[in-house]
Amino acid sequence: MPLAYSSDIPGNRCGPEDGPWPRPYTVLDEPELWRELAALAKPQSVMLDRKRGWRADAVNFQPSPTTRTQDRYVVQQLDIHGHSWTLTGVFDGHLGDITAEHTAYHLPIIIRDFLREAMDDDPQQLEDPDFISDLLSHAMTSFDDAIAGDVLDLFPGGLAGLANLSDDNIRHIINDIHTGGANFKKARLCMYGTTALVALVDPDHKNLWVANLGDCAAVMVTQTGSEEWKTELLTTDQNGDNPDEVDRVRREHPGEPDCVSDHRVLGAIAPFRCIGDTPFKQPPEFTRRILYNLYPGFQNTSPWEEFLVLNHTPPYISAIPEITHRLLNTGTASSPIPTSRFLILSSDGLSDLCTGPGQQRVLDAWSQNLRRSIGTDTAGKSGNIALRLLWQALGGDDGDSVSRVLTLEMDTSWIDDTSIVVQSL
């Protein structure tokens, strides 16, 4: 049986400390490899416009059988009074999948309702790209505000009113598991967080908006009549590796040198913008009085206290998304309308997998194979182009590299969760 070392596994999840190394894995032949990859990534395809051939392919991948993926994705068409808007999104949960699951389900509904209300007020508003950008931003911040707001509404006087309640009173209110658990579910959401990357296309297919919170990535891949493909990154990572984000947090919290340390907010969390993560957005009393009393309780609060003692002027994490707008169906002599165009939304697991060869090389190889991969299933290969992109990131035609990631014998996860949505435009 072949053996692998930690350096043979792509990404930064797996290191020498995860030994003993080497570890065995199984080499799969090509048809078996594709069957195993599809079984693990669960590829899905949604036809968005059958006449034009527009569709979205998606995967959510974690090969470790003992690890539940914390990523989620959505592909939906929103009915705005008879007009169909397309919404796609990727959500990368942290600490757990509860907030990612909640966001993937409810955020499209919130955006739909905001669009419907705007159309009721004045349909002409929906023709203004800047208005839609503001609407998307407002929908996402309002959704995030409601996570903590729904919990504070359970207590008379909100946060200030907690001083009038004993811990037993608070536990009685939030731990209503035996009577349906509505309050418990609201409070539990506050303990977790998720990045959020959402793309919206209008019914006339004139405009694309991308709203980003966190470190997922949106990439436009276009072809304009030749074999050459162009890639454009539409988002920036909102984490400690982005000096603009670090500067923003420091400006918002003058005189607090520990607001960012070790490339993390309050030295504890990597995303500088996200949905949820309420302990970084509310005063420490919210966590100590409410979340500490949530069933089953905290055996050890010291990891939380390490950053709560630094929480002086919240919020430290923002829910205001970066919005990018692109026109889709206009062209010029020097820049004609692309003959093929795709939008890739991915969690940071994809960029992590591409660390070795580089993401640009992976995208170049994937795009060159697009024509023969769409709608085909030769030699067991999938026509799902999101799965094809994942396969390319894992090693592509190097079946041994792909086999190592799929079959490594290890008790914990050896790569980051990876979600990909590829939408044709």
Side-chain angles (χ1 to χ4, degrees), residues 73-95:
Y73 66 81
V74 294
V75 177
Q76 293 186 13
Q77 290 183 294
L78 309 180
D79 182 2
I80 312 302
H81 300 321
H83 300 271
S84 184
W85 295 63
T86 301
L87 183 146
T88 52
V90 168
F91 310 93
D92 184 354
H94 38 268
L95 296 180

Side-chain angles (χ1 to χ4, degrees), residues 98-240:
I98 292 172
T99 305
E101 181 83 26
H102 173 81
T103 304
Y105 180 82
H106 289 282
L107 184 58
I109 296 173
I110 300 299
I111 294 173
R112 181 202 66 191
D113 291 348
F114 270 60
L115 286 168
R116 286 179 177 177
E117 182 178 351
M119 191 169 186
D120 288 337
D121 291 343
D122 179 5
Q124 293 300 314
Q125 295 180 112
L126 302 189
E127 301 294 324
D128 180 1
D130 290 337
F131 176 83
I132 300 299
S133 294
D134 291 341
L135 181 148
L136 260 181
S137 182
H138 185 44
M140 295 177 76
T141 55
S142 297
F143 175 78
D144 182 71
D145 288 343
I147 291 177
D150 287 347
V151 175
L152 291 173
D153 287 345
L154 301 176
F155 305 100
L159 190 64
L162 293 177
N164 302 319
L165 298 174
S166 68
D167 285 345
D168 283 342
N169 293 147
I170 294 173
R171 281 192 287 265
H172 178 73
I173 292 171
I174 62 176
N175 294 313
D176 61 339
I177 302 169
H178 299 298
T179 56
N183 296 348
F184 174 79
K185 292 175 183 177
K186 291 175 182 177
R188 187 178 58 169
L189 275 177
C190 296
M191 297 182 62
Y192 307 93
T194 184
T195 65
L197 177 62
V198 174
L200 187 68
V201 177
D202 61 3
D204 294 329
H205 212 78
K206 293 180 179 178
N207 299 277
L208 164 72
W209 295 267
V210 175
N212 183 42
L213 289 169
D215 52 11
C216 293
V219 177
M220 185 90 78
V221 181
T222 59
Q223 183 188 32
T224 56
S226 69
E227 291 301 315
E228 296 298 319
W229 292 79
K230 174 186 175 183
T231 61
E232 179 190 6
L233 181 64
L234 302 181
T235 53
T236 57
D237 287 346
Q238 296 159 356
N239 56 31

Side-chain angles (χ1 to χ4, degrees), residues 33 37 391 394-407:
L33 183 154
L37 183 61
W391 168 79
L394 296 177
D397 289 327
D398 184 348
D400 193 66
S401 293
V402 181
S403 294
R404 277 198 298 268
V405 176
L406 297 185
T407 66

